[in-house]
Amino acid sequence: MANDNTTPLAAKDYDQKINNTIPYYQEFYRQTLDIVRQCNFSNINWLDLGCGTGTLEKLIFQEFSDVQFTLVDPSEKMIKQAQEKLKNDSIQYICADSASIQFAGCFDVVTAIQSHHYMQEDERRKATKRVYNSLKNGGIYISFENVIPEDEDVKMFELLRWGKYQQRHGKTEEEAKAHNARCGVNYFPLTVNGHIELLKETGFHKIHVFWYSYMQMGIYGIRCKVQS
Ligand SMILES: C[S@@+](CC[C@H](N)C(=O)[O-])C[C@H]1O[C@@H](n2cnc3c(N)ncnc32)[C@H](O)[C@@H]1O
């Protein structure tokens, strides 16, 4: 890995640069909070996979006082950034990738915001199954992910459009091209249907695509109570 994490941004520069790379990134957090608000959980036990620098948690703490967090990320540097940002001794940090977590039915909410597209198919399926296992019945998994259009021409069109977004936000043409060249090489996006199928296959019900823009989508799935 050339960097200190799987993203093209060093952990220390991540917060400053991510909004120039991914359109509407702050909206990902707002949508996530809105969905959890709607769930009406109390004393939320929340697992965030690929927590990065802890920006989501910072926002959650501004609104929810009754949250217990477990934050997971395979990058030590990202975890260090999150610890420095959050300064909260009640948070449990685990330096690991999502495919290796082992929790059983203990979380109300699991989130993975732009963190699972670095895994290849088998590993991602394993990680998603582990997410399912880690949720309580009635718990929700909320994920934002890169998406690949099924049609090759649409894919090229959308990659160019995404590149233009990055250039309008300060990247050079070369930097934008280099970022787009990572698609299918450094990260492995699924189609919209691929994301839905992955959640179905791993046991989720009540699956909903709640956000889609450029080449990112937001999806949630619920671990349903077993009907008696
Ligand atoms: C684009 S950043 C997103 C960080 C954070 N979720 C956010 O929204 O700001 C991707 C994060 O996923 C982490 N990551 C990479 N591979 C992962 C894996 N296999 N399991 C869990 N996290 C992973 C990276 O270390 C990085 O912190």
Side-chain angles (χ1 to χ4, degrees):
M1 197 190 305
N3 205 342
D4 55 28
N5 67 90
T6 50
T7 80
L9 310 173
K12 67 178 175 43
D13 301 329
Y14 181 84
D15 285 354
Q16 194 201 335
K17 294 190 174 164
I18 190 62
N19 295 310
N20 304 346
T21 304
I22 300 188
Y24 303 110
Y25 207 82
Q26 297 306 309
E27 189 61 25
F28 297 4
Y29 301 135
R30 278 194 284 270
Q31 292 279 322
T32 301
L33 259 74
D34 193 50
I35 290 165
V36 174
R37 207 177 283 131
Q38 182 72 17
C39 290
N40 230 359
F41 295 123
S42 49
N43 300 316
I44 306 171
N45 205 12
W46 189 321
L47 172 67
D48 188 24
L49 299 169
C51 64
T53 63
T55 305
L56 176 66
E57 287 67 33
K58 181 107 182 158
L59 291 170
I60 294 163
F61 277 133
Q62 286 170 11
E63 181 171 336
F64 297 88
S65 52
D66 56 348
V67 184
Q68 179 60 51
F69 277 115
T70 302
L71 304 190
V72 172
D73 201 289
S75 161
E76 282 177 19
K77 288 272 170 59
M78 284 295 201
I79 288 201
K80 191 161 177 288
Q81 292 287 324
Q83 286 169 326
E84 283 170 11
K85 181 184 287 178
L86 297 169
K87 295 187 176 45
N88 187 316
D89 293 339
S90 74
I91 298 173
Q92 184 188 11
Y93 292 92
I94 301 173
C95 191
D97 67 80
S98 297
S100 65
I101 57 158
Q102 300 224 40
F103 296 103
C106 53
F107 292 102
D108 303 286
V109 179
V110 178
T111 41
I113 312 294
Q114 290 294 121
S115 46
H116 281 179
H117 47 252
Y118 305 102
M119 286 182 270
Q120 303 268 10
E121 201 179 326
D122 283 357
E123 216 190 354
R124 193 197 296 233
R125 186 172 296 107
K126 186 173 167 190
T128 311
K129 189 67 196 166
R130 299 258 164 128
V131 168
Y132 182 84
N133 293 342
S134 72
L135 281 166
K136 295 177 185 171
N137 286 328
I140 189 165
Y141 173 45
I142 306 170
S143 171
F144 277 84
E145 279 286 338
N146 287 344
V147 184
I148 197 84
E150 297 195 9
D151 183 285
E152 190 63 22
D153 292 337
V154 177
K155 172 186 155 186
M156 295 319 293
F157 181 86
E158 287 300 325
L159 278 172
L160 283 174
R161 196 163 77 89
W162 187 8
K164 292 281 183 216
Y165 169 91
Q166 295 176 33
Q167 287 177 57
R168 284 199 304 278
H169 290 79
K171 286 196 185 177
T172 64
E173 193 178 347
E174 289 315 306
E175 286 169 332
K177 271 192 188 151
H179 184 271
N180 282 352
R182 290 171 51 83
C183 181
V185 177
N186 301 94
Y187 70 88
F188 309 97
L190 303 179
T191 62
V192 175
N193 283 332
H195 282 294
I196 294 170
E197 283 307 311
L198 179 64
L199 292 202
K200 278 189 192 162
E201 275 172 32
T202 47
F204 285 96
H205 293 90
K206 315 288 181 200
I207 296 161
H208 180 54
V209 175
F210 60 90
W211 169 268
Y212 192 173
S213 177
Y214 282 80
M215 294 179 82
Q216 285 75 40
M217 67 180 266
I219 185 169
Y220 65 70
I222 294 174
R223 175 170 175 159
C224 283
K225 292 185 176 73
V226 178
Q227 303 292 321
S228 54

